[in-house]
Amino acid sequence: MLVLGIETSCDESSAALVRDGTRLVSGVVSSQVDLHAAYGGVVPEIAARAHVESILPVVQQALAPVDELPDLIAVTAGPGLVGSLVVGVCTARALAWAWDVPLVAVNHVEAHIRAPVLEGCPMEYPLMALVVSGGHTLLAEVKGPDRMEIVGETLDDALGEAYDKVARQLGLGYPGGPVIDRLAESGDPHAIAFPRPMMNSGDFNFSLSGLKTSVIRYVKQKEDRGEPVSREDVAASFQAAALEPVVTKTVAAAVERGCSRVLTGGGVACNRALRAMLARACDSRGLELFCPGPELCTDNAAMVASLGFFLYRGGHRSGIDLDVCPNLKPWQRAGEDG
Ligand code: KG4
Ligand code: ZN
């Protein structure tokens, strides 16, 4: 079965063709990063307009390698920015109607969790999934093809949001995550003793806003006193403080829930320090780790098409009147017919 996936939940317009849920045929991502960089973050109105301009060319490019129409359309219905989601959902509805093919709504967070299946990760349950992006930071126990339980989440900022805000303070531009990742490689992670938030909270939740404030205060104080600030050391020390609780709790949650496999997803899962720390921690506990390649970690339509296939096979369907669900919770399904 050939599935066309459409993803427009934030600032990436993406379309992809996936066969039988696991084989990527084509994937196109049009990023709006340059449009938002001047504002230091995503501007919803600009994002929606840019999706309107790019979505049809992106879909056309994704369809180009095949001579057949898709058998199913899968689209992200939430969570995300309402104006951005509307563009993807309306495009999917129009194409499903024009081609007379079924439509299935996909939850963006669940798509991140299940993306590793596209790189051969066996979906044998239970699995422990870590999603770390600009909008989400959570741990979910995946219990079955359409069952999962959130075991921990951030109580304030998402991890990617903390990276972006710290980067802004350091004058590193937007998005800050990849720049901090690079700078940290030549910095000393022990140079500054930033707090490890909720490290010993006894649960699997996270908090990042206090750490972000500590970093911003440290940089400001140094600047006010006219002292030099090593951006490399700040980046490395911030990363160490932010990632240690995430890695420790991910592994602890996997062990407590009897999961032998850990999956990661979301833009921050591209981070090299996080990948290295997780690999070491999983290895020491005999856990198998699946970190997909960067193009499957950041927002993409391949993960949407893949999850759409498995949902459809499990009997899930959406009507042609499918609406967007900007505040969809990670475990919720968007509007369905059956
Ligand atoms: O998953 P994603 O593309 O979009 C959301 O759903 O949010 O994630 C974007 C986030 C941004 O905050 C960006 O700074 C962060 O992922 N990010 C990184 C890296 N690459 C992207 N953070 C840390 N290290 C990276 N290498
Ligand atoms: Zn995302």
Side-chain angles (χ1 to χ4, degrees):
M1 181 181 229
L2 187 66
V3 185
L4 171 67
I6 297 179
E7 156 66 41
T8 61
S9 65
C10 190
D11 61 343
E12 259 105 30
S13 316
S14 179
L17 286 176
V18 171
R19 212 175 278 284
D20 300 331
T22 54
R23 275 182 291 138
L24 183 65
V25 177
S26 65
V28 182
V29 179
S30 167
S31 173
Q32 304 173 4
V33 160
D34 294 344
L35 288 180
H36 301 290
Y39 303 92
V42 177
V43 183
E45 173 70 20
I46 294 176
R49 283 167 186 261
H51 284 306
V52 170
E53 283 172 16
S54 56
I55 193 65
L56 288 181
V58 162
V59 168
Q60 268 172 335
Q61 220 181 313
L63 292 173
V66 297
D67 286 329
E68 59 196 302
L69 285 179
D71 306 299
L72 172 71
I73 298 177
V75 62
T76 300
L81 301 171
V82 62
S84 292
L85 290 166
V86 164
V87 178
V89 167
C90 287
T91 305
R93 283 168 51 173
L95 292 176
W97 181 78
W99 294 337
D100 194 21
V101 293
L103 179 67
V104 65
V106 163
N107 181 319
H108 179 86
V109 179
E110 189 180 3
H112 272 306
I113 288 174
R114 294 178 184 272
V117 76
L118 283 158
E119 286 192 355
C121 174
M123 285 289 148
E124 288 158 10
Y125 307 103
L127 298 156
M128 186 53 61
L130 170 70
V131 179
V132 276
S133 71
H136 305 278
T137 296
L138 57 88
L139 276 169
E141 181 189 343
V142 187
K143 298 178 166 186
D146 56 5
R147 271 196 320 136
M148 66 169 146
E149 182 190 339
I150 305 303
V151 299
E153 59 190 328
T154 180
L155 303 182
D156 39 58
D157 290 354
L159 185 55
E161 195 182 344
Y163 266 90
D164 292 338
K165 287 177 177 167
V166 165
R168 193 184 314 168
Q169 187 62 31
L170 291 172
L172 301 175
Y174 172 84
V179 190
I180 292 191
D181 186 352
R182 265 199 311 279
L183 271 183
E185 289 220 308
S186 39
D188 175 6
H190 307 291
I192 310 148
F194 290 128
R196 267 66 174 154
M198 295 187 69
M199 185 73 179
N200 302 307
S201 60
D203 57 22
F204 297 119
N205 290 328
F206 309 105
S207 166
L208 288 142
S209 104
L211 168 62
K212 172 199 70 192
T213 310
S214 297
V215 178
I216 291 174
R217 200 181 302 131
Y218 171 88
V219 174
K220 269 198 141 124
Q221 273 176 359
K222 285 275 190 190
E223 284 172 352
D224 289 349
R225 289 190 205 132
E227 293 171 9
V229 178
S230 161
R231 299 195 303 183
E232 289 79 4
D233 284 351
V234 173
S237 302
F238 157 71
Q239 263 204 172
L243 298 181
E244 216 176 282
V246 171
V247 171
T248 307
K249 289 191 178 193
T250 301
V251 169
V255 171
E256 185 179 299
R257 297 291 179 120
C259 304
S260 60
R261 269 193 199 105
V262 172
L263 318 183
T264 64
V268 189
C270 301
N271 183 274
R272 286 170 290 181
L274 174 61
R275 294 168 89 98
M277 286 166 74
L278 265 177
R280 272 197 306 274
C282 285
D283 200 41
S284 72
R285 302 304 296 259
L287 302 169
E288 200 178 354
L289 176 66
F290 276 84
C291 288
E295 58 294 335
L296 276 183
C297 287
T298 50
D299 288 350
N300 68 88
M303 66 183 188
V304 175
S306 169
L307 176 57
F309 168 81
F310 291 105
L311 289 175
Y312 184 79
R313 206 175 62 172
H316 298 273
R317 309 279 185 275
S318 299
I320 203 74
D321 59 347
L322 172 68
D323 205 353
V324 297
C325 315
N327 300 315
L328 200 64
K329 300 290 177 217
W331 61 90
Q332 285 178 327
R333 288 264 135 73
E336 291 183 354
D337 270 2

